[in-house]
Amino acid sequence: MTVVTGSADGPVLALIAGTHGSEPSPIVALQRVRNELDPLTLRGTVILVHIANLPSFVHRTIYRGPWDQKNLNRVFPGKADGTASERIAYAITTQVIDQCDYLVDIHSGDGNEALRPYSYWNQLGLDERVDVTAREMALAFGLDHIVVDRGRPRDPAATQFCSNTAHVRGKPAVTTEAGGVGVPTEEMVSCNARGAFRVMRYLDMLPGPKETVERPRWIDPSVVLTSPGTGTWYPAVQPDEHVSEGALFGRLTNYFGDVIAEVRSPLAGVVMYVVVSPAMSEGEPLGMVGAVTVAALPA
Ligand SMILES: [Zn+2]
């Protein structure tokens, strides 16, 4: 972690990368933020968690940690005496989330996922101020597709997700997604670094003009498609592609290449991400499709 303390008092913003270790665009972006952030012009404090899931990064795992096969972003708020992932979650809850006022958990597509950039807005319904501020933070970060999520747990003892843990505790938080397939492209690294500085300006932590997404695309509803079996995955779509209801999303074959299932989109919308590598197990994500709304902000 890096803690940058500004020359003037202000809010505490936590920026987290590497909750999933094979999502390097956010990790490289926070190294850039560390270099470029000037404490003399900063108001408040920025906590940078450079690689939240170090075992996953070092061992190059997707989704789950190497030692307990648990998804760090499903075990929050964690346990002090739990498995490795649960202990990491507990450390982040107590040493980062409990210490901050605002939080951005910066993700990308995982090592097997191609993705079009988007944010999640957690419309939790517990505290109007927290929901509205989180929505404004998502717009400030700058990704113009924003998935509206109303299904996150409200029980403080079982918050599951990193950003939801902050949100349930009254701290506005967003999850962002930019980058994918394990490659930190310059475009996606700079996108994530720029988003971090935009949020700091939104929170009046840095001088300069505040920017927001002028014409957001609200993604509501959205569906994560999961695999009906175990075998070899052949995607038929690409990120950002518009698909109709019933359109072929991809085919699953057995290990000899014989088709055992065709997967079709359950709704019309845009492909937010799609798994692009062949290894596939029953119940695993294949990708995500969301319906696009350009109209007014959701109530
Ligand atoms: Zn992730």
Side-chain angles (χ1 to χ4, degrees), residues 135-262:
R135 187 176 69 199
E136 290 180 356
M137 286 170 64
L139 293 168
F141 193 88
L143 309 178
D144 69 348
H145 283 52
I146 302 174
V147 172
V148 181
D149 194 344
R150 301 187 188 85
R152 304 240 161 150
R154 289 158 175 77
D155 176 2
T159 45
Q160 293 187 7
F161 304 87
C162 177
S163 69
N164 189 51
T165 304
H167 205 107
V168 167
R169 284 159 173 72
K171 298 163 181 206
V174 291
T175 303
T176 62
E177 301 273 356
V181 293
V183 179
T185 62
E186 174 55 34
E187 184 187 9
M188 288 299 113
V189 171
S190 58
C191 173
N192 283 309
R194 195 166 55 241
F197 284 110
R198 285 173 58 130
V199 170
M200 289 180 227
R201 288 197 296 274
Y202 162 74
L203 295 171
D204 293 315
M205 299 175 74
L206 286 177
K210 296 183 185 187
E211 296 168 276
T212 190
V213 174
E214 296 297 340
R215 277 192 296 175
R217 266 61 172 168
W218 301 99
I219 308 299
D220 185 23
S222 60
V223 175
V224 174
L225 286 71
T226 55
S227 181
T230 296
T232 318
W233 170 243
Y234 288 81
V237 297
Q238 295 190 348
D240 210 30
E241 185 176 330
H242 286 257
V243 294
S244 54
E245 183 180 341
L248 183 67
F249 197 80
R251 292 185 178 86
L252 188 71
T253 77
N254 62 19
Y255 297 136
F256 307 102
D258 307 317
V259 174
I260 55 175
E262 286 192 335

Side-chain angles (χ1 to χ4, degrees), residues 20 23 107-108 177:
H20 295 123
E23 299 178 357
H107 289 244
S108 70
E177 301 273 356

Side-chain angles (χ1 to χ4, degrees), residues 64-112:
R64 291 174 282 267
W67 299 325
D68 57 11
Q69 290 298 310
K70 291 187 177 182
N71 184 337
L72 175 57
N73 210 24
R74 297 293 183 278
V75 299
F76 276 83
K79 289 180 197 160
D81 60 350
T83 66
S85 298
E86 291 164 345
R87 280 182 281 138
I88 293 170
Y90 181 80
I92 292 172
T93 298
T94 54
Q95 297 177 37
V96 179
I97 294 172
D98 284 350
Q99 316 301 326
C100 77
D101 302 307
Y102 305 91
L103 181 143
V104 185
D105 190 23
I106 309 172
H107 289 244
S108 70
D110 217 318
N112 58 334

